[in-house]
Amino acid sequence: NRQCPQLPSIFPALPANNTPRVTATADAQTPDNWLPRDPTLIRLTGKHPFNSEGYLTPLFDAGFITPAHLHVVRNHGAVPKISPDQAYADWKIRVHGLVQEELEFSIGELAERFQVVTLPVTICCAGNRRKEQNVVRKSLGFNWGAGGVSTALWTGVYLADVLDYVRPIRPRAKHVIFEGADDLPKGPYGTSQKLSWAADREKGMLIAWAMNGLALEPDHGFPVRVVMPGQIGGRMVKWLKRIEISETESNHYLHYWDNKVLPMQYTPEQAKDTPEIWYDPKYTITELNVNSAIAKPAHAEVLDVSNEDMASNAKTYDIQGYAYAGGGRRINRVEISLDHGKTWTLADVDYPEDHFRAAAFEHPVYGLVDLTARDTCFCWCFWTLRVPLAALARADVVALRAMDEGMNTQPRDMYLNATSMLNNWWFRVAVRKSAAADGVRLTFEHPAVVGQTMEGWMDRMKAEGRDVLNPVFSDAPQDQAESAAKP
Amino acid sequence: NRQCPQLPSIFPALPANNTPRVTATADAQTPDNWLPRDPTLIRLTGKHPFNSEGYLTPLFDAGFITPAHLHVVRNHGAVPKISPDQAYADWKIRVHGLVQEELEFSIGELAERFQVVTLPVTICCAGNRRKEQNVVRKSLGFNWGAGGVSTALWTGVYLADVLDYVRPIRPRAKHVIFEGADDLPKGPYGTSQKLSWAADREKGMLIAWAMNGLALEPDHGFPVRVVMPGQIGGRMVKWLKRIEISETESNHYLHYWDNKVLPMQYTPEQAKDTPEIWYDPKYTITELNVNSAIAKPAHAEVLDVSNEDMASNAKTYDIQGYAYAGGGRRINRVEISLDHGKTWTLADVDYPEDHFRAAAFEHPVYGLVDLTARDTCFCWCFWTLRVPLAALARADVVALRAMDEGMNTQPRDMYLNATSMLNNWWFRVAVRKSAAADGVRLTFEHPAVVGQTMEGWMDRMKAEGRDVLNPVFSDAPQDQAESAAKP
């Protein structure tokens, strides 16, 4: 049975499992040619290694819980080929270093010794929306659109419980290092966390072996991975083999040479020539920052607005999309501007994660699903703003920003950085107009899309030699500038 | 002995205790006329109730640990007059509601039953820098400058330990309500916290009876208060009498009608007429947001730069100030721009709080001072940028922004809101120029100062009928606009 086990109907529904049973043509000549993958996913680094996101609108339409086949994937090399037999009998996670008791656990032993739990968690690549920065300046990272984010139910045990069991030797023990089984030119993928965070159940970190109630797919870390809620995907080591409690951070190559937001003063070339900034803990990124995107209107969506619609507010359009924040913080407002940021309107925000707070539930696969005492928000939320068609047709640009409960807001300006990570300036969709038989035809342009032929407005403006960092969407010069809102 | 007990020299020094022994003239006719207060503090709400901040530069010069007499104070009414005899013999804190065991604790009982600990914590009013918003539009709150922030060593017990002891009845128990002994027209001051946060030692919440090693001064909550690190000052109830574990938030009047950042769409007048937004948990503020200010150059500081200095980079000036963030997050970069935000330079950041991480220490007054296993940053940090005098003289404005480890940054634009709270747009100091005998005279203008006669640049621009939200500091029109930085 390959379908996800359902939870009681008070919880969000599990999606149909539509992972293909056959390998994709694109993988025929790659080391991953044993792996079935959805052929509609956008491959961001050529055929191999596999790094993919779904198209934004189908991803959004898939709902709160993303099916595994549409879920964002970030691989650094070939996927370790591990048979189910190996996984459950022989796969051991070694926990060692500055602990009172070094131990090895199989998945079965973890499940037996500790409370099995399930949490809904949004996983998002730090590169989500990177393409926009890459239009401005080619950076040290490949193009992600705004679909580098997904949500699933993750089942496993709390890392905090495991750490409690092995008893770290404090205060010398400061970091927890995770290492996967992938075989990369500079060694396996690995990274680390602060012990004080890893040992805190409220942070929700999991050693997880199931996704949406099914065994992990190989792209998602089969047989076991870590899940770090509210953090960038790059901290969630897959194919987990080893946990080391240490006085120092991980020495893994990509722990230092990736997942940083370096000061904007360094160009990509300067950054490459300045190793010490990669080793400066100030520039390590861990938590996601507040971010959001518009799924509807979709890129290249066309909408005809008749002269009659223009003359009344009767017909409306639902602008929709997602938002998320880091560190368990809740999104408390989402705002849309149709006038270059001069005024903003609050969108309605829906938090499907809240349904899990209504009741605790025990399940043979999911274990304890209990968010009743949790105030953390580890998942994306969805928002809607209904606007008259006429208002949309009068706009040059739809601008979006979200704010979290810590009052962190998406900035008007891009923080251009060498790796182009955590890009979260306002998400802007241009509204292009042309004549229609009866009224005006609107064509919507997202900023910088991947996987399609039609360019985004940033690509277009750049080709036109215009300033994409201070974009002007209007033809009326006195009305162009994005300035601070007036009282 | 009224001097603060010193810690070993590896820790930051405790300041001299210079609280006057006599009452201030200003208090002669107020209910607080029994209380000694520093007469140099700026009284922000007339003589009474006492709400005060220190002048920014002396506050900064006082160093990492603020002496009690300079520490920010926020009172809603008369200070409860409690004698030391009452405080230690009769003062009881009642802990009740959804707990397995209702209890009352005296300070002595708390100290006996739980580990006594000391944490350095920055306390900051949510209104810090409010005056800037009040220049734009009069809001529902009085004028704070940028001195509404201070740091002290707070001694007490972890709230988490006390909650653990009384055993909240979860999952019904969701909130922890705190109530003080002040006598206000609409009842005592009170507010609440999420239980999940209050029960988490990592959040560092304290029931505290000492400040810098001395009994609390009456203005700071004598005999006992709560201290909520990383949060707005308004959550730190003074003269603590009662802790209630509850299914719902506090019903105290000012829990609802204060400490919100309401959507910018509501003017102060509209907000007053819309009770439901005050009761909407989305707009409650708890954690501080990232913020910073320039202490040097001070407001109205004058600096002569000679023609010789203008021709070389030999002579320099150290621009300095503070920065802080909320929720225990660390400030990871502080940037200064001298060209209207077009380029930014990283300042050096000093974290005195880090000295406490070097070793644990046990002390008869402070109890356990142990930050060795803590990664939280609950205190302000200080930053310095050395610039040539010539560069300063060429600038029209010094702009400042900080960023925390969650990649939250101070925005270019003001988020104007009905209570004017958590104002954290770039801190800008205007550089005004006039002729000097040999060269140029610089006069520095802070945005909107309190307690002095010379106006800030916002006051000045407003009087001139200019747009203070999109300020122009330069006389050269082509060089005025604050636009996104270019690669």
Side-chain angles (χ1 to χ4, degrees), chain B residues 140-157:
Chain B
L140 306 175
F142 58 85
N143 288 335
W144 288 95
V149 54
S150 306
T151 300
L153 300 187
W154 297 94
T155 300
V157 296

Side-chain angles (χ1 to χ4, degrees), chain B residues 146-215:
Chain B
V149 54
S150 306
T151 300
L153 300 187
W154 297 94
T155 300
V157 296
Y158 280 118
L159 175 62
D161 291 354
V162 176
L163 291 173
D164 197 42
Y165 190 80
V166 298
R167 289 172 292 141
I169 300 166
R170 292 185 175 85
R172 267 185 67 212
K174 293 276 189 210
H175 299 273
V176 186
I177 300 166
F178 307 91
E179 187 177 277
D182 41 354
D183 183 20
L184 307 176
K186 297 185 191 255
Y189 189 80
T191 181
S192 59
Q193 291 282 332
K194 297 172 189 168
L195 172 60
S196 65
W197 289 27
D200 187 355
R201 256 194 185 213
E202 282 295 303
K203 297 277 184 195
M205 297 180 191
L206 300 177
I207 303 175
W209 55 76
M211 177 184 183
N212 295 342
L214 302 177

Side-chain angles (χ1 to χ4, degrees), chain A residues 23 45 79 95 104 192 206 232 240 286 316 411 420 451:
Chain A
T23 54
T45 50
V79 173
V95 187
E104 287 197 329
S192 59
L206 300 177
I232 59 169
L240 180 71
T286 307
T316 59
S420 293

